[in-house]
Amino acid sequence: MAKPKKTPRPKAETPKGFRDYFGAEVTQRAEMLRKIAAVYHRYGFDALESSGVETVEALGKFLPDVDRPNEGVFAWQEDADSDKPGEWLALRYDLTAPLARVYAQHQNDLPKPYRRYAMGPVWRNEKPGPGRFRQFYQCDADTVGSGSVAADAEICAMLADCLEEVGIERGDYIVRVNNRKVLNGVMEVAGLAGDDKEAERGIVLRAIDKLDRLGPEGVRALLGEGRKDESGDFTGGAGLGEEQAEMVINFIEAGSVVARPGTGQIITKGFAPFVYAGPLSSSAVATINKLRKLVEGSNIGKQGVDELEEIATLLAAQGYGPDRIVIDPSVVRGLGYYTGPVFEAELTFEIKDEKGRTRNFGSVAGGGRYDDLVKRFTGQEVPATGVSIGVDRLLAALDAKGRLDKSADGPVVVTVMDKNRMADYQKMVADLRKKKIRAEVYLGNPKNFGNQLKYADKRGSAVAIIQGADEHEKGVVQIKDLILGAKIAENATHEEWKDLTNQYEVPRDQMVAKVLEILALYR
């Protein structure tokens, strides 16, 4: 009789495109979310926690029209093998589609306009890559039910405040603002309006989006016949005439205002260095005037420029000048989705990529006005505007600048010298915890004392507490400064080491005070 096959053991590995987060990473993200939430709350937004699972019908705007609607999302069908299969469900793709469903479902009970913020993981069934995961955190704030561009201006101001609140210094970021209506006006004047020009418009949008990487001449090539890259690969262009292409180039260069990395200074392409002139900076005035000329004859274009001017005026009145927020027509994020103003926050400082090349860090947040999303549920247009902050990107940026708090956060470890005195050790950690000190008793096998100190090192502990029989008899404890001890071991000579100490004997009733004194050195 053949032996039954053993059930193979599952592989202990993270699914492709996902990752695990430990200790400090989780703590740092939680702290960032807390700071951003505080800004959102200060601006009057209320928290919303919606379901992580939505019907595919509710997420339909983001899904392609295929027989199995799980492309781009993680989806499944309820009771798929039964005679009466149920609905298709999916993990949420972002936090905006659930908001549209929530607003449509509860609109009679919600204040109008409804201002909410939401934070949490989202899931995308896309090909993973370096730094690109299938699960990541978003941090959104939206105003639903207001058509005023004051709502868009407020989002921009709030975005700038959030970046500074989490530790991005002024001069290291810029919030760029554009308007879908202005681009529509330019397209109209250039003869690219109408359904028959949809393909050309798509190529134009993608070309504009590559301005930072390819420069104006590279974009110009893509607006024309096409472009061959360094490897010899050819990308077909939009086939625009010279005059049409020039109009698009003039549009994206109308407000080319950038921050000088790390200085807080602003430099402009095509304009003299600006000075403040009345409520608006001269750079904003110059950009607006140039855009007005480009969209002459287009009503939608004029409306878009008027909205940009109003946003700039509202921001200037609150003290948000072009050192933080600028009008930049080269911003084209999701312009097929947005219906009005769009904005993007870019970090302007330089980093080294995985190949050692110098690069700007790039975008960490974006959003805009989307007046058609709720209409899918209600049949009526409901104006809305919002922003989404990429928390993981922001954490990576702060880490690259050395601004993440990496101070010792491991627990104070009370070692166990006598298993029969566990109650004494538990009383020690209780006294520490009463003073808000993170502390624990070593709960492994206490037989090898060296292993207890190795455990404390692995936990990132700054302090270990020792009380054997002799110390207990004398009513004292030994307090070991592990961080100082590591520095002594690494840097001191043998002679210096004899004169240095990282271990202190103190009376038991002074234990908490001494621990607080040591921890204060590393926080």
Side-chain angles (χ1 to χ4, degrees):
M1 182 176 176
K3 291 184 178 180
K5 291 184 177 180
K6 290 184 178 180
T7 303
R9 293 175 179 171
K11 289 184 178 180
E13 60 182 14
T14 310
K16 187 176 181 181
F18 294 84
R19 61 159 296 194
D20 301 309
Y21 297 85
F22 296 91
E25 294 175 307
V26 178
T27 302
Q28 288 160 357
R29 180 201 289 141
E31 178 64 10
M32 175 171 286
L33 292 175
R34 184 193 66 78
K35 290 179 178 179
I36 295 173
V39 176
Y40 287 166
H41 192 263
R42 191 159 69 236
Y43 271 73
F45 288 76
D46 287 333
L48 170 67
E49 187 173 313
S50 61
S51 169
V53 175
E54 296 284 343
T55 66
V56 161
E57 184 181 19
L59 294 175
K61 186 170 182 68
F62 299 99
L63 300 173
D65 185 18
V66 294
D67 292 335
R68 181 176 170 80
N70 64 349
E71 196 76 25
V73 298
F74 291 98
W76 65 96
Q77 190 174 25
E78 288 189 299
D79 303 320
D81 297 327
S82 68
D83 294 335
K84 294 183 179 180
E87 288 186 295
W88 276 90
L89 303 176
L91 293 175
R92 64 190 179 199
Y93 180 92
D94 69 0
L95 298 176
T96 309
L99 170 63
R101 190 266 305 162
V102 166
Y103 183 84
Q105 182 177 348
H106 301 284
Q107 59 181 311
N108 292 335
D109 302 317
L110 294 174
K112 294 181 179 62
Y114 176 51
R115 296 151 62 80
R116 83 88 174 89
Y117 69 88
M119 302 174 176
V122 298
W123 297 268
R124 297 186 184 179
N125 190 7
E126 299 172 343
K127 184 178 180 180
R132 185 182 182 90
F133 297 100
R134 287 170 165 167
Q135 176 181 320
F136 53 94
Y137 266 71
Q138 287 189 334
C139 193
D140 290 17
D142 297 78
T143 296
V144 182
S146 173
S148 169
V149 293
D152 302 283
E154 179 183 61
I155 292 286
C156 293
M158 187 168 65
L159 177 53
D161 286 356
C162 283
L163 294 176
E164 295 184 18
E165 183 72 20
V166 302
I168 304 297
E169 295 177 355
R170 202 170 299 182
D172 276 345
Y173 75 89
I174 200 77
V175 177
R176 305 176 184 276
V177 187
N178 192 14
N179 196 313
R180 165 70 187 268
K181 296 173 183 177
V182 180
L183 181 56
N184 285 349
V186 171
M187 296 281 197
E188 182 180 343
V189 174
L192 295 173
D195 294 340
D196 60 326
K197 299 291 184 181
E198 185 174 352
E200 290 92 332
R201 290 198 300 272
I203 296 173
V204 169
L205 287 178
R206 290 189 291 274
I208 295 173
D209 200 33
K210 296 175 182 176
L211 176 65
D212 287 344
R213 183 163 59 87
L214 302 180
E217 291 310 310
V219 173
R220 191 185 299 274
L222 290 175
L223 295 176
E225 296 304 315
R227 176 182 178 273
K228 183 182 290 188
D229 63 21
E230 295 175 356
S231 68
D233 289 341
F234 182 79
T235 303
L240 303 189
E242 187 174 330
E243 188 175 337
Q244 290 175 307
E246 189 64 28
M247 186 171 295
V248 175
I249 293 293
N250 287 339
F251 166 69
I252 60 178
E253 290 191 329
S256 299
V257 182
V258 296
R260 192 186 302 277
T263 66
Q265 298 176 342
I266 302 294
I267 53 176
T268 62
K269 301 174 185 175
F271 298 110
F274 64 80
V275 293
Y276 282 97
L280 293 180
S281 67
S282 60
S283 64
V285 172
T287 298
I288 290 166
N289 289 342
K290 194 168 185 180
L291 290 176
R292 286 202 186 281
K293 292 180 181 178
L294 288 171
V295 299
E296 279 182 0
S298 169
N299 289 332
I300 190 69
K302 179 182 181 302
Q303 184 181 343
V305 177
D306 288 343
E307 289 179 357
L308 283 178
E309 183 173 18
E310 184 175 352
I311 289 172
T313 301
L314 291 171
L315 289 169
Q318 300 172 67
Y320 294 87
D323 58 329
R324 289 189 275 178
I325 304 174
V326 298
I327 299 172
D328 187 347
S330 68
V331 176
V332 296
R333 56 173 298 113
L335 282 174
Y337 165 70
Y338 293 112
T339 59
V342 291
F343 16 89
E344 185 170 88
E346 178 185 341
L347 303 188
T348 57
F349 57 77
E350 295 177 340
I351 60 167
K352 299 286 187 181
D353 66 12
E354 62 278 3
K355 295 183 179 180
R357 296 170 298 191
T358 300
R359 297 190 180 279
N360 271 11
F361 193 90
S363 175
V364 293
R369 177 161 289 278
Y370 54 97
D371 288 346
D372 295 335
L373 194 56
V374 179
K375 187 178 181 180
R376 296 180 54 247
F377 297 94
T378 64
Q380 299 175 332
E381 186 175 284
V382 178
T385 187
V387 67
S388 180
I389 296 176
V391 175
D392 297 310
R393 288 274 295 165
L394 261 183
L395 285 170
L398 290 171
D399 191 29
K401 293 290 284 184
R403 294 180 191 160
L404 277 184
D405 181 9
K406 295 186 177 181
S407 58
D409 191 40
V412 171
V413 174
V414 175
T415 60
V416 175
M417 306 300 289
D418 182 351
K419 288 193 291 186
N420 295 323
R421 292 185 43 246
M422 183 60 75
D424 290 337
Y425 300 132
Q426 293 289 358
K427 175 67 167 61
M428 290 181 189
V429 295
D431 290 344
L432 292 165
R433 290 166 183 163
K434 286 175 183 176
K435 293 297 183 180
K436 310 300 182 185
I437 298 171
R438 191 180 181 208
E440 64 175 77
V441 175
Y442 178 73
L443 297 177
N445 186 346
K447 189 173 182 180
N448 187 322
F449 179 70
N451 285 344
Q452 297 193 52
L453 293 184
K454 287 179 181 178
Y455 172 82
D457 284 337
K458 202 161 191 177
R459 293 301 311 276
S461 302
V463 174
I465 294 176
I466 306 162
Q467 190 188 60
D470 291 343
E471 287 87 4
H472 179 61
E473 188 70 25
K474 291 167 33 180
V476 299
V477 296
Q478 300 288 339
I479 298 179
K480 199 172 186 69
D481 183 335
L482 299 175
I483 295 178
L484 178 59
K487 290 179 180 178
I488 292 173
E490 182 179 352
N491 300 315
T493 66
H494 179 70
E495 290 301 316
E496 290 172 330
W497 182 82
K498 290 192 301 182
D499 297 328
L500 296 171
T501 182
N502 67 306
Q503 188 162 314
Y504 313 93
E505 182 177 283
V506 299
R508 169 64 178 85
D509 60 2
Q510 295 178 25
M511 177 192 73
V512 174
K514 186 62 179 178
V515 169
L516 285 169
E517 178 186 322
I518 294 173
L519 292 179
L521 299 173
Y522 305 114
R523 290 179 179 168

